[in-house]
Amino acid sequence: MKTTKATKSTPVKPVEEPVAKKAAKKAAKKVTPTTGKTTGVAKKATATVKKAAAASKKAAPAKTVAKKTAPAQAAPKKAIVESHAALVRRARRINRELAEVYPYAHPELDFENPFQLVIATVLSAQTTDLRVNQTTPGLFAKYPTPEDLAAANPEEVEEILRPTGFFRAKTKSVIGLSKALVEDFGGEVPGRLEDLVKLPGVGRKTAFVVLGNAFGRPGITVDTHFGRLVRRWQWTDETDPDKVEAAVGALFPKSEWTMLSHHVIFHGRRICHARKPACGACPIAPLCPAYGEGETDPEKARKLLKYEKGGFPGQRLNPPQSYLDAGGIPAPPLGAG
């Protein structure tokens, strides 16, 4: 039986297609006049169409769609693999770079003698050095010696220490510490680690602050800033302060421990913050495996700087002259401003 040709449709603009696909489409239009079913040739042609379409789809280049994306930031660097010798070289270079940036690095607690330093360090728990510095002048004016503080009325001490937070517990610690100094050490702060850690409220961190800054004996102060930065720099992955102290101490000569602590803590407070480190304004960015965790745009990063690098008051009421010469600003007294 002869088949009739389907009515030609209105011509359309030619579309670039494989020749086989065009022929297959044309053949697929042939149907039987009585049943409307496709002939064997048409069926074959339909199959050809499907194959041709699949091949065309596979071969055709994918369309590109322009999407608006956020400005790209440098991805944090992955963990680096380096020998112990390479780690030592990198760690010491970081310390040298920080020493140039913070030549005036110092303990940011105001003190005039070992007794004032040990008390101020105990009070600095769970608060800022600035708040302690704003509080201790009143405390030491009323209780200038261990004997005075040991005999103090707890309620009066609590009222003075209230701005530092946890004032009841801190009152108990400083009075107990003062009593221990009077009873066990003749009213003098001991200059040995094993003696200092026996005092109420004094751990290794506080002891090293006192030894390094009141007695000139090297020690590493592992506070929250120090621990955070040395892990970012991959000097160690330890989290326990004692283990951090041991791991980092092994990378440096003992004579550098105290100033190393100051350099790292200064940097952590001013640039390498916990939540938004100012990576784009960091002087040791090329040496840092964690570069990119924070803001990398230099202009935006500079706005994140704190204390003297950002034009804000420092942590001390009475900072050293070298700090002031570098652009540091003394902190205001309690209640000012």
Side-chain angles (χ1 to χ4, degrees):
M1 182 181 295
K2 294 183 180 180
T3 58
T4 58
K5 293 184 179 179
T7 304
K8 292 183 179 179
S9 58
T10 304
V12 295
K13 293 183 180 180
V15 179
E16 293 183 3
E17 293 179 298
V19 176
K21 186 175 180 181
K22 286 183 178 180
K25 281 188 175 181
K26 186 175 181 181
K29 292 180 181 179
K30 295 181 179 181
V31 297
T32 58
T34 56
T35 64
K37 295 181 180 179
T38 56
T39 62
V41 175
K43 288 182 179 180
K44 186 176 180 180
T46 302
T48 305
V49 169
K50 292 181 180 179
K51 289 182 180 179
S56 176
K57 185 177 180 181
K58 185 176 181 181
K63 292 183 179 179
T64 57
V65 180
K67 292 183 179 180
K68 292 183 179 180
T69 57
Q73 283 203 2
K77 295 181 181 179
K78 296 181 180 179
I80 58 176
V81 178
E82 59 188 345
S83 66
H84 180 72
L87 171 60
V88 170
R89 287 194 298 270
R90 184 168 62 86
R92 293 184 181 183
R93 185 179 171 191
I94 287 176
N95 188 39
R96 289 195 300 271
E97 296 282 349
L98 294 181
E100 292 183 7
V101 178
Y102 309 110
Y104 47 82
H106 58 276
E108 295 190 87
L109 290 169
D110 288 330
F111 70 97
E112 295 178 358
N113 54 54
F115 171 63
Q116 290 187 1
L117 179 58
V118 71
I119 293 295
T121 307
V122 169
L123 295 179
S124 69
Q126 304 298 319
T127 191
T128 64
D129 287 356
L130 174 57
R131 179 60 69 185
V132 174
N133 289 341
Q134 292 170 325
T135 304
T136 50
L139 179 70
F140 296 139
K142 190 167 186 177
Y143 309 105
T145 68
E147 290 81 2
D148 294 325
L149 192 52
N153 181 334
E155 292 184 358
E156 293 179 0
V157 176
E158 284 180 3
E159 194 58 33
I160 295 174
L161 300 184
R162 185 180 294 272
T164 67
F166 302 95
F167 58 91
R168 291 189 179 88
K170 290 180 179 180
T171 295
K172 184 177 179 181
S173 290
V174 298
I175 290 179
L177 188 158
S178 299
K179 287 181 178 179
L181 289 177
V182 172
E183 296 171 2
D184 301 332
F185 299 100
E188 299 291 332
V189 176
R192 299 194 312 163
L193 176 66
E194 53 268 38
D195 292 330
L196 283 168
V197 294
K198 293 177 183 178
L199 298 173
V202 177
R204 288 179 69 88
K205 183 190 85 170
T206 297
F208 280 129
V209 170
V210 175
L211 289 173
N213 299 288
F215 294 98
R217 296 176 184 172
I220 292 178
T221 304
V222 183
D223 68 354
T224 55
H225 301 288
F226 191 95
R228 179 179 74 252
L229 267 61
V230 299
R231 283 188 289 273
R232 276 182 177 167
W233 297 336
Q234 296 182 19
W235 290 3
T236 179
D237 58 2
E238 298 289 354
T239 56
D240 179 79
D242 292 350
K243 292 181 179 179
V244 171
E245 175 197 324
V248 175
L251 304 176
F252 295 88
K254 193 172 183 179
S255 59
E256 296 183 13
W257 286 358
T258 299
M259 287 309 299
L260 168 70
S261 300
H262 292 324
H263 296 153
V264 175
I265 293 171
F266 257 59
H267 191 61
R269 284 175 170 166
R270 287 154 176 78
I271 295 178
C272 196
H273 312 136
R275 293 186 180 178
K276 290 181 111 177
C279 293
C282 181
I284 60 165
L287 301 170
C288 181
Y291 175 78
E293 284 187 8
E295 180 57 64
T296 57
D297 180 84
E299 290 299 324
K300 293 180 180 178
R302 274 193 284 273
K303 294 179 181 179
L304 299 174
L305 301 181
K306 294 182 180 179
Y307 309 131
E308 75 278 6
K309 291 296 178 183
F312 301 109
Q315 290 280 284
R316 290 189 62 170
L317 297 175
N318 303 301
Q321 188 60 45
S322 58
Y323 174 84
L324 299 175
D325 292 343
I329 305 172
L334 187 65

